[in-house]
Amino acid sequence: MAASILSDLGAEILIPVCAVIGIAFSLLQWVLVSNVKLSPGSPRNNGAGGKNDYADYLIEEEEGLNDHNVVMKCAEIQNAISEGATSFLFTEYQYVGIFMVAFAILIFVFLGSVEGFSTKSQPCTYDQSKMCKPALATAAFSTISFLLGAVTSIVSGFLGMKIATYANARTTLEARKGVGKAFITAFRSGAVMGFFLAANGLLVLYIAINLFKIYYGDDWGGLFEAITGYGLGGSSMALFGRVGGGIYTKAADVGADLVGKVERNIPEDDPRNPAVIADNVGDNVGDIAGMGSDLFGSYAESSCAALVVASISSFGINHEFTPMLYPLIISSVGIIVCLIATLFATDFFEIRTVKEIEPSLKRQLIISTVLMTIGIAVVSWIALPSSFTIFNFGEQKAVKNWQLFLCVAVGLWAGLIIGFVTEYYTSNAYSPVQDVADSCRTGAATNVIFGLALGYKSCIIPIFAIAVSIFVSFSFAAMYGIAVAALGMLSTIATGLAIDAYGPISDNAGGIAEMAGMSHRIRERTDALDAAGNTTAAIGKGFAIGSAALVSLALFGAFVSRAAISTVDVLTPKVFIGLLVGAMLPYWFSAMTMKSVGSAALKMVEEVRRQFNTIPGLMEGTGKPDYATCVKISTDASIKEMIPPGALVMLTPLVVGIFFGVETLSGVLAGSLVSGVQIAISASNTGGAWDNAKKYIEAGASEHARTLGPKGSDPHKAAVIGDTIGDPLKDTSGPSLNILIKLMAVESLVFAPFFATHGGLLFKIF
C-alpha cells in the first residue's frame, strides 16, 4: 500500500498551527467587538477619530440618542444580565463538578476491575497474538481524558456566555448607526465563540493523543480506546448545560410572556416586567453556554469514534500516523475554511437593509460548504494512501481514498440540506410558518394543531438525508465512513456556532433597547436581527440533531465491535426488549424536561402576578420591579430539576449493561437513536415555527400579516400562547435529545470492556 503524500511531521505541524490560527482569529474578533465603547461617545474619543467616526456621531445625534443616560442605562442592564448568567453558571458548575469527580472514580473502578486491577500486559482485544497495555492503564487514561473533555466543555460554554453578555449592549448601541453595524457586531461576537470552541477542542484532543502516545507506544488500539473518555466528558457536561440552561431560560420566558404580553398587554422585554432580566439571562445560559457545550460534545465524539475504528484498521495496524489523524486534519482545514467564510459576512459584503440579513447568514453556510468540499478533496488526496483497509465487524474492508472523500462530503452536504429544510419550515418568509400564523385567526387551538403538524412533516426530508448519508458512507467505508460523515457535517462547526450564537446576542440586544427606552426605529432594527437569528438558531439545531444521529451510529458500531458482538439480531428477545425500552427513553426524558419547565414557569407566573398586584405604581412605571427574586426562582428550579433527566441518561447504559448485558444494551442504543432523532427534529421545528409565526404577526411586514395584527389582537394572543407552548420544545427537550442519543452511545463504548466481561448479571443468574 502506498504511503500518504503528507508526511507525519507535516500533519503534526498542520493541526496545531490551524488550531492556533483559529484561536488568534477569535481573539481578533473579540478586539474588534471591544472597540464599541459602552460609554457616551464624542467625535474625538470614539475610535480613531476619522471621517466615519464623525459620520457615526452625527447619526447618533440625529437619533437623539447620544446622551449619557441611554448609554449608561445599556451598560447597567448588560451588567445585570452578565452577573445573573455568571452566578447561575458558577452554581451549576459546582453541582456538575461533584458529579464529574464521582463519575471519574466510577470509570476508573469499573474499567480497572476488568482484569482485576492487574498491572500486567494482556493480549490485545483485536489481535490475541500481540501483548497490549494492562486494563488498569486504560482505566487511568480513560479517566484523565474524561476529565479533560469535561473541563474543555465547561470552559467552552462559559467563555461563550461571557462574550455574548459582553456583546449584547454593544450590538444595541451599534443599531443606532444602522442595521449593518449591529449585524457585524453580533456576528463577530458569535465568531469569537465559534472559532475558540472549534480550535480549542481540536488542540486539546491533539495534545492528549500525543501525551498518551508517550506511554502507549505502539499500542494504538489501547491509546484510542482511552481517548474515547474525551467525548464522554464533553457530552456529559453538555447534557447538564443544555437541560439546566434550557429549564432556566424557558421558565423565565414563559413567565414573562404569559403575564406580561397576554395578561397585562405590555411589550416583550418591557422593564416593568419583573421576569425580564431572568429571561435575558436565560438566553445566554441556555442558548449560548448549553449549545456551545453540546456542539463541542458532538465534535469530540465524532473524532473519538473515527479514531477508535481507525486504530484497528490498516492505519493503526501499520502505525501510519498521518492517515490516523485524518479526522483531526479535516477539522483543522475546517477552521481555515470557516475563517474565509466569516470574512464574507464581516468584510467583503456590507449589509444595508433588513432584507439582506437572512441571505447573508445563509450565504455563510453555502460558502463554507462549497469551500470545505474542496478542502476535503485536497486532504483526502494528501493525507490518505491511495488504498487501505477499514475494520468492518471482524473483517478488513478494502477502501480507496476517493471513497473516503465521498463519505465526508455526503455528511457535509446532508448537513446543508437539513439546515435549509429546517429554515423552510421555521422562517416566516415561507408558507409553512405563514399558514401557522394564519391559523391564529380562529384561536390558540388551531395554532397548536397546525404547529404540531408542521413539526411532524418537517422530519421527512432530514431523515431521508441522514438515511442516504448513512447508506453511502457505510457502503464505502463501513462504520469509519459514518464517523467521518458526522465529522463532515461538523467540519464547519466554527461558522455554524457563529451563526447560532448570533441569534441570542441579537435577542438580548433587542431586550436592552426596550429596557433602555430607545426609539421605535432601534427596536425595529434589533427585531429584524432577532427574527433572522431565530431561523438560524433552528438551522443550528438541525445541524446538531443530524450530526448527533451519525455520531451515535458510529459510536454504536464501535461499541458493538469492542463488546465483541458478532451481529445485533432484532428477532432475539434480549435485543428486542432493549429496542422497545430504548425507543421509549426519549419520551420519558422529554416528559421530565417539559414538566420541569412547566413547574418552574408556574412559580415564575405566580411571582410576576404577585409583583404586579402588590408593588405600587409598577404598571405606571413609577414602581421598581424585584428582578432578583425572578432570577432566583429560575436558578433554583433549573439546578434542582436538571438532576433527574441527567441521571436517567447517565444511569441507563450502566444499569442495562450490568444487569442485562451488551446485547440488550445494543437494542437500547438503536431504539433511542431511531425515536430520539424524530422527536428532536419535530420538537425543535414546531417550537421555531410557533415563535416565528408570532414574530410574523408582530412585524406586520406584509398585507397578510397586518390583517392578523397588531400586537394585542386576538390572533396575536393566540400566537403568543403557541410560542409559549413551543418554548420548552425548541429550547429544552428538542436540543437535549441529541445529547441523550450521543451520550448513551459514548458511555456504552467507554464501559464496553466492563460490560463484555462482567455484564448481564440477571441472564447469568436465571
Side-chain angles (χ1 to χ4, degrees), residues 504-544:
I505 292 168
S506 304
D507 192 359
N508 260 207
I512 291 170
E514 183 76 49
M515 284 185 271
M518 291 172 123
S519 74
H520 185 62
R521 283 171 68 183
I522 305 295
R523 186 68 221 228
E524 277 180 356
R525 288 169 190 166
T526 56
D527 276 353
L529 292 170
D530 182 25
N534 249 350
T535 302
T536 55
I539 291 172
K541 285 172 189 138
F543 264 94

Side-chain angles (χ1 to χ4, degrees), residues 115-122 133-137 215:
E115 295 289 331
F117 296 98
S118 167
T119 53
K120 292 176 185 170
S121 295
Q122 56 180 11
K133 299 293 182 188
L136 196 63
Y215 171 78

Side-chain angles (χ1 to χ4, degrees), residues 245-270:
I247 293 168
Y248 185 108
T249 179
K250 292 304 115 183
D253 200 356
V254 170
D257 281 0
L258 281 181
V259 184
K261 286 156 91 171
V262 177
E263 292 179 12
R264 294 284 170 165
N265 215 13
I266 58 175
E268 188 164 3
D269 298 314
D270 191 296

Side-chain angles (χ1 to χ4, degrees), residues 432 435-437 439-440 442-457 686 689-690 718 721-722 725:
D435 289 344
V436 172
S439 71
C440 294
T442 47
T446 43
N447 179 27
V448 170
I449 293 166
F450 270 70
L452 288 171
L454 177 147
Y456 298 147
K457 193 177 177 185
T686 294
W690 276 327
I721 290 167
I725 297 168

Side-chain angles (χ1 to χ4, degrees), residues 334-684:
I335 290 171
I336 305 303
V337 162
C338 291
L339 192 154
I340 296 164
T342 300
L343 297 176
F344 278 90
T346 57
D347 296 83
F348 299 158
F349 293 103
E350 190 182 340
I351 285 179
R352 290 187 174 85
T353 63
V354 164
K355 286 180 182 171
E356 292 172 16
I357 299 170
E358 215 166 294
S360 174
L361 292 168
K362 286 191 331 202
R363 200 184 302 129
Q364 282 288 296
L365 292 172
I366 296 167
I367 291 168
S368 59
T369 303
V370 170
L371 290 178
M372 194 62 210
T373 308
I374 299 164
I376 295 162
V378 173
V379 166
S380 302
W381 177 53
I382 65 166
L384 294 172
S386 55
S387 65
F388 42 90
T389 62
I390 294 293
F391 183 83
N392 181 24
F393 300 116
E395 298 169 2
Q396 292 288 341
K397 178 183 172 75
V399 181
K400 299 269 192 286
N401 58 2
W402 62 266
Q403 291 176 311
L404 217 48
F405 156 70
L406 287 177
C407 293
V408 186
V410 80
L412 177 67
W413 284 90
L416 189 69
I417 290 165
I418 291 169
F420 281 141
V421 169
T422 306
E423 188 225 5
Y424 174 72
Y425 280 105
T426 56
S427 169
N428 55 27
Y430 303 106
S431 61
V433 170
Q434 291 173 10
D435 289 344
V436 172
D438 193 64
S439 71
C440 294
R441 290 179 193 279
T442 47
T446 43
N447 179 27
V448 170
I449 293 166
F450 270 70
L452 288 171
L454 177 147
Y456 298 147
K457 193 177 177 185
S458 70
C459 292
I460 299 168
I461 297 173
I463 292 299
F464 275 118
I466 293 168
V468 168
S469 52
I470 287 170
F471 182 78
V472 170
S473 50
F474 189 86
S475 301
F476 282 144
M479 279 298 172
Y480 186 72
I482 293 172
V484 293
L487 260 177
M489 208 178 271
L490 290 164
S491 58
T492 52
I493 188 173
T495 294
L497 267 169
I499 290 172
D500 224 339
Y502 154 88
I505 292 168
S506 304
D507 192 359
N508 260 207
I512 291 170
E514 183 76 49
M515 284 185 271
M518 291 172 123
S519 74
H520 185 62
R521 283 171 68 183
I522 305 295
R523 186 68 221 228
E524 277 180 356
R525 288 169 190 166
T526 56
D527 276 353
L529 292 170
D530 182 25
N534 249 350
T535 302
T536 55
I539 291 172
K541 285 172 189 138
F543 264 94
I545 295 161
S547 62
L550 294 176
V551 167
S552 54
L553 184 58
L555 290 165
F556 175 68
F559 162 73
V560 168
S561 302
R562 182 63 188 84
I565 304 169
S566 50
T567 53
V568 179
D569 186 355
V570 179
L571 294 175
T572 57
K574 281 184 187 177
V575 176
F576 194 76
I577 58 168
L579 206 60
L580 277 177
V581 171
M584 172 273 296
L585 283 173
Y587 290 93
W588 189 0
F589 179 84
S590 298
M592 283 174 142
T593 50
M594 294 280 285
K595 193 163 183 293
S596 297
V597 171
S599 56
L602 201 64
K603 290 175 192 159
M604 188 67 77
V605 167
E606 285 169 356
E607 174 58 23
V608 175
R609 278 180 183 155
R610 183 194 69 75
Q611 290 198 31
F612 273 121
N613 292 331
T614 58
I615 297 175
L618 185 55
M619 270 306 284
E620 293 73 32
T622 52
K624 202 166 188 286
D626 177 8
Y627 298 129
T629 303
C630 291
V631 169
K632 189 175 186 312
I633 287 172
S634 262
T635 303
D636 292 348
S638 54
I639 296 296
K640 181 183 154 204
E641 301 282 356
M642 75 179 181
I643 295 165
L648 174 72
V649 178
M650 298 301 291
L651 293 177
T652 298
L654 293 176
V655 171
V656 174
I658 291 167
F659 292 106
F660 298 94
V662 287
E663 287 182 323
T664 306
L665 181 54
S666 64
V668 169
L669 295 178
S672 65
L673 166 60
V674 169
S675 86
V677 171
Q678 328 273 343
I679 303 170
I681 293 171
S682 65
S684 293

